[in-house]
């Protein structure tokens, strides 16, 4: 059976995507003086940003760029998880939906095997694949994702009757009476003042009560997870891409336009709503398991194997030709800093300022603060006895013409002051350098016939489009993978509000890449 039926794919978009890439449009030349300090120089050096390499890359892959009408923004983002049991408990905006996982596996490789997600987040791919009979492996750096994944594993085996009994007792308690300073949140500068004094006292009282009076480890951890899930709801903050947006009632310094959340819940209201939601999902899940116990795959009860750490360090330790399917969504090259976005949750889990700074440097480079990891990667591969692999990946990066074209242009824009942050060029360099190693390891650990499905977005800086999909697909082919499809959504991603005035609303491709070995 074909992987994608012709009826499901609009092949009219293969050679004519919804919008021509910006780098294929005419770019006016820019002028840079030979001696920057001599503004009267009569011998300027003319630098003309070129798009030749990216255009050639587009021509190479344009037949693989296919609009897939089965994919939507809701499906390819966390939106479709909002009403789903378990996954709706915690709003993890950086994840994709479990429905997407089911679609990709049933469409591309319906026979279960071993699935890996090297950026597993809160475990959407792991749990959805497990439900289809797959053995799953997840790698996640941030404690936020690890805690959420482990809480869901606990929820699937919890004693529901005992859990209901504990919740009934909790609803009668004034948690302010159980406050203990040993459980007080150790705030970092970017979270200080996130809660009103009253609500934080109740939150800490709840945490103190759970640790002192709830003896069952699983029930205590699930109760703590409920509090973890409502931190944003009871705070003056809202997650907003690169940072936390602060409500005008917080008393912190405000931006030009005051922001006010629709509603800030009290701790009792928020925790009771969350516990009710958890109980409702557990009850429904219990009934469903009873009804369909005989038809569930035998592997359904096998827990995911979970690694905490950077996939740059863990992927090289996995066995060659051992994985059937890699399904993931890495951080995008969009400057989003998850250690700031999820700062409240990290503080709740006991992370201090220095640890969070370390996490920021350890994660895949996607912010302007990330430092070059080349020396560490070289030393690490050398310690594994794989220096030749490091040399090979480093060479592919250095020799990739379209990638070097992008980096050169961004460096030029940096000198001309066109970038809104001078470190953007270095961030893009680091992002692709590290993704080269990630992609190489995919090719190494996949079994023959194995598949990679990756959700990622193209990005734009100073109006310059960076075709992440084309560059990564070309790099994947350098390592022996084949690009089967670059599936696009019907509607791409428009410019940010900051770039809208200068560059209009030209859309960028939002894609799911399908590579195979």
């Amino acid at each position: 059976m074909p992987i994608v039926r012709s009826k499901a794919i609009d092949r009219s978009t293969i050679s004519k995507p919804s919008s021509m890439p910006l780098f294929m449009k005419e770019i006016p030349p820019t002028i840079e003086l030979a001696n920057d300090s001599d503004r009267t120089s009569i011998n300027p050096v003319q630098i003309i940003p070129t798009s030749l390499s990216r255009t050639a890359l587009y021509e190479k892959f344009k037949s693989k760029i296919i609009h897939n009408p089965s994919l939507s923004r809701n499906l390819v983002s966390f939106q479709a998880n909002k009403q789903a049991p378990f996954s709706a408990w915690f709003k993890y905006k950086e994840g994709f939906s479990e429905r997407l996982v089911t679609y990709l596996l049933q469409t591309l490789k319906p026979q279960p095997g071993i699935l890996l997600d090297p950026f597993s987040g809160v475990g959407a791919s792991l749990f959805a694949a497990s439900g289809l009979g797959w053995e799953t492996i997840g790698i996640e750096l941030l404690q936020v994702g690890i805690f959420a994944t482990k809480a869901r594993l606990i929820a699937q085996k919890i004693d529901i009757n005992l859990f209901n009994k504990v919740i009934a007792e909790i609803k009668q308690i004034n948690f302010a009476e159980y406050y203990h300073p040993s459980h007080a949140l150790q705030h970092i500068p970017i979270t200080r003042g996130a809660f009103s004094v009253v609500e934080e006292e109740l939150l800490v009282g709840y945490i103190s009560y759970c640790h002192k009076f709830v003896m069952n480890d699983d029930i205590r951890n699930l109760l703590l997870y409920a509090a973890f899930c409502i931190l944003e709801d009871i705070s003056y903050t809202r997650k907003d891409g690169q940072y936390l947006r602060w409500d005008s009632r917080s008393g912190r310094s405000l931006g030009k336009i005051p922001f006010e959340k629709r509603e800030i819940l009290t701790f009792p209201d928020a925790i009771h709503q969350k516990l009710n939601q958890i109980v409702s999902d557990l009850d429904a899940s219990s009934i469903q398991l009873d009804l369909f116990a005989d038809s569930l795959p035998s592997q359904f009860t096998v827990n995911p194997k979970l690694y905490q750490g950077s996939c740059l360090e863990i992927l090289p330790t996995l066995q060659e030709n051992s994985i059937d399917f890699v399904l993931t969504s890495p951080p995008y090259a969009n400057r989003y800093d998850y250690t700031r976005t999820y700062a409240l949750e990290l503080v709740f889990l006991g992370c201090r300022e220095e640890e969070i700074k370390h996490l920021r440097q350890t994660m895949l480079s996607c912010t302007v603060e990330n430092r070059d990891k080349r020396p560490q990667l070289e030393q690490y591969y050398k310690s594994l006895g794989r220096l030749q692999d490091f040399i090979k990946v480093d060479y592919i990066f250095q020799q990739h013409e379209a990638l070097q074209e992008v980096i050169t242009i961004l460096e030029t824009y940096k000198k001309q002051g066109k970038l809104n942050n001078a470190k953007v060029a270095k961030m893009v360099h680091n992002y692709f350098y590290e993704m080269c190693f990630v992609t190489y390891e995919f090719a190494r650990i996949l079994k023959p016939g194995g598949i990679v499905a990756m959700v990622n977005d193209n990005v734009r800086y100073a109006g310059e489009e960076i075709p992440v999909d084309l560059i990564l697909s070309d790099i994947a082919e350098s390592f022996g993978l084949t690009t089967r499809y670059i599936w696009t959504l019907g509607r791409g991603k428009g410019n940010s509000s900051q770039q809208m005035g200068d560059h209009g609303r030209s859309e960028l491709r939002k894609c799911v890449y399908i590579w195979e070995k």
Side-chain angles (χ1 to χ4, degrees):
M1 181 176 64
I3 295 299
V4 179
R5 294 185 177 91
S6 59
K7 291 182 179 179
I9 300 297
D10 178 7
R11 296 194 175 272
S12 66
T13 61
I14 293 178
S15 59
K16 295 182 179 179
S18 56
S19 60
M20 182 182 295
L22 285 185
F23 57 76
M24 294 187 69
K25 299 176 182 178
E26 184 177 355
I27 303 176
T30 59
I31 302 297
E32 183 177 286
L33 298 179
N35 182 351
D36 197 45
S37 61
D38 181 8
R39 297 294 175 182
T40 62
S41 171
I42 59 173
N43 295 309
V45 176
Q46 182 170 322
I47 297 177
I48 304 177
T50 177
S51 61
L52 293 178
S53 296
R54 283 170 294 168
T55 300
L57 203 57
Y58 175 79
E59 292 298 324
K60 174 181 178 179
F61 285 107
K62 70 178 182 180
S63 65
K64 306 294 178 71
I65 302 173
I66 302 171
H67 168 232
N68 185 340
S70 296
L71 303 180
S72 66
R73 291 184 70 90
N74 281 355
L75 192 69
V76 182
S77 72
F78 83 104
Q79 296 288 341
N81 285 334
K82 284 186 174 181
Q83 305 302 321
F86 298 103
S87 55
W89 297 351
F90 178 56
K91 186 170 70 174
Y92 187 72
K93 295 176 65 175
E94 281 63 43
F96 43 60
S97 74
E98 295 188 22
R99 285 170 48 207
L100 174 67
V101 178
T102 300
Y103 168 77
L104 291 174
L105 292 179
Q106 291 180 339
T107 302
L108 297 169
K109 208 171 184 65
Q111 182 63 38
I114 301 175
L115 176 140
L116 168 71
D117 186 344
F119 302 95
S120 62
V122 296
S125 59
L126 309 182
F127 291 107
S130 292
L132 296 173
W134 286 73
E135 182 181 341
T136 59
I137 302 170
I139 302 172
E140 176 55 34
L141 174 65
L142 292 187
Q143 291 90 328
V144 172
I146 297 293
F147 185 58
T149 303
K150 289 183 175 179
R152 181 160 172 182
L153 290 172
I154 289 171
Q156 293 182 165
K157 64 173 185 176
I158 201 81
D159 183 329
I160 299 175
N161 293 329
L162 183 56
F163 188 60
N164 277 322
K165 183 179 178 180
V166 173
I167 289 177
E169 295 171 357
I170 278 178
K171 290 183 176 179
Q172 308 304 316
I173 292 174
N174 176 10
F175 292 106
E177 297 175 359
Y178 293 89
Y179 178 95
H180 196 280
S182 64
H183 295 292
L185 301 182
Q186 302 298 310
H187 282 288
I188 60 177
I190 60 174
T191 67
R192 197 165 290 127
F195 310 102
S196 72
V197 174
V198 171
E199 302 309 327
E200 185 160 348
E201 184 179 78
L202 289 168
L203 170 63
V204 174
Y206 175 90
I207 297 169
S208 303
Y209 176 89
C210 290
H211 282 286
K212 186 172 183 180
F213 295 104
V214 181
M215 297 298 103
N216 183 291
D217 289 344
D218 286 346
I219 290 178
R220 181 174 60 252
N221 285 325
L222 197 53
L223 290 174
L224 291 172
Y225 183 61
F228 171 89
C229 291
I230 64 169
L231 295 176
E232 182 177 351
D233 298 331
I234 65 172
S235 78
Y236 293 119
T237 71
R238 188 184 75 187
K239 294 176 176 61
D240 198 352
Q242 301 176 32
Y243 55 90
L244 292 177
R245 185 182 290 274
W246 285 79
D247 185 276
S248 57
R249 290 164 284 183
S250 66
R252 286 180 64 123
S253 58
L254 307 174
K256 295 180 181 179
I257 303 176
F259 163 69
E260 193 165 299
K261 294 173 69 174
R262 291 182 179 179
E263 182 181 14
I264 298 175
L265 298 178
T266 66
F267 177 79
D269 285 347
I271 197 65
H272 292 164
Q273 288 179 24
K274 186 58 63 178
L275 290 172
N276 288 340
Q277 180 188 23
I278 291 174
V279 167
S280 176
D281 285 351
L282 290 176
D283 286 340
S285 176
S286 178
I287 293 171
Q288 188 176 30
L289 285 174
D290 288 341
L291 289 174
F292 299 101
D294 293 337
S295 61
L296 288 172
S298 60
Q299 302 97 322
F300 183 78
T301 57
V302 177
N303 288 340
K305 187 173 184 178
L306 196 60
Y307 294 91
Q308 182 171 2
S310 167
C311 69
L312 289 170
E313 296 179 355
I314 296 171
L315 284 174
T317 68
L318 300 183
Q319 185 178 346
E320 186 175 349
N321 299 323
S322 62
I323 303 296
D324 296 286
F325 204 114
V326 175
L327 202 167
T328 196
S329 180
Y332 300 167
N334 58 8
R335 297 182 56 187
Y336 282 20
D337 182 353
Y338 305 135
T339 65
R340 286 190 170 89
T341 305
Y342 292 95
L344 286 181
E345 289 79 9
L346 288 170
V347 166
F348 179 92
L349 295 173
C351 294
R352 303 296 181 89
E353 179 74 5
E354 287 306 309
E355 184 176 1
I356 292 175
K357 287 180 180 178
H358 176 72
L359 286 171
R360 189 174 298 139
Q361 290 303 325
T362 305
M363 68 183 183
L364 191 82
S365 291
C366 56
T367 82
V368 292
E369 296 178 48
N370 288 118
R371 292 190 287 269
D372 186 357
K373 294 185 180 67
R374 186 184 188 280
Q376 296 96 309
L377 285 167
E378 182 176 12
Q379 183 58 40
Y380 185 58
Y381 273 80
K382 188 175 181 180
S383 72
L384 295 174
R386 295 180 54 194
L387 182 59
Q388 290 303 312
D389 288 350
F390 171 84
I391 293 171
K392 178 179 180 179
V393 178
D394 185 80
Y395 176 82
I396 291 296
F397 172 84
Q398 302 295 345
Q399 297 300 314
H400 196 278
E401 294 182 2
L403 177 53
Q404 298 307 320
E405 178 180 274
V406 164
I407 294 170
T408 299
I409 290 174
L410 291 179
E411 287 290 349
T412 301
Y413 287 169
K414 170 186 170 182
K415 294 176 183 177
Q416 296 169 344
K418 291 184 177 181
L419 298 175
N420 58 15
N421 188 299
K423 296 180 180 179
V424 163
K426 187 63 175 176
M427 180 200 74
V428 171
H429 172 283
N430 292 343
Y431 179 84
F432 281 106
Y433 191 76
E434 293 162 32
M435 282 301 296
C436 273
F437 283 89
V438 171
T439 305
Y440 177 76
E441 293 299 337
F442 289 171
R444 185 185 67 84
I445 64 177
L446 273 179
K447 296 177 182 178
I451 289 176
V452 176
M454 182 189 299
V455 179
N456 207 339
D457 279 3
N458 291 349
V459 294
R460 179 189 290 118
Y461 290 103
E464 193 70 28
E465 180 180 345
I466 302 173
V468 181
D469 53 355
L470 306 183
I471 293 173
L472 289 182
S473 293
D474 199 44
I475 288 170
E477 297 206 341
S478 298
F479 298 138
L481 299 179
T482 299
T483 302
R484 185 187 289 184
Y485 307 114
I486 300 176
W487 276 336
T488 66
L489 280 63
R491 180 183 174 188
K493 184 177 67 174
N495 265 332
S496 66
S497 57
Q498 294 91 334
Q499 297 197 60
M500 195 78 74
D502 292 334
H503 310 295
R505 191 179 169 76
S506 178
E507 287 188 347
L508 293 169
R509 287 189 300 276
K510 188 174 181 67
C511 304
V512 180
Y513 325 150
I514 309 299
W515 306 329
E516 62 183 328
K517 182 174 179 178

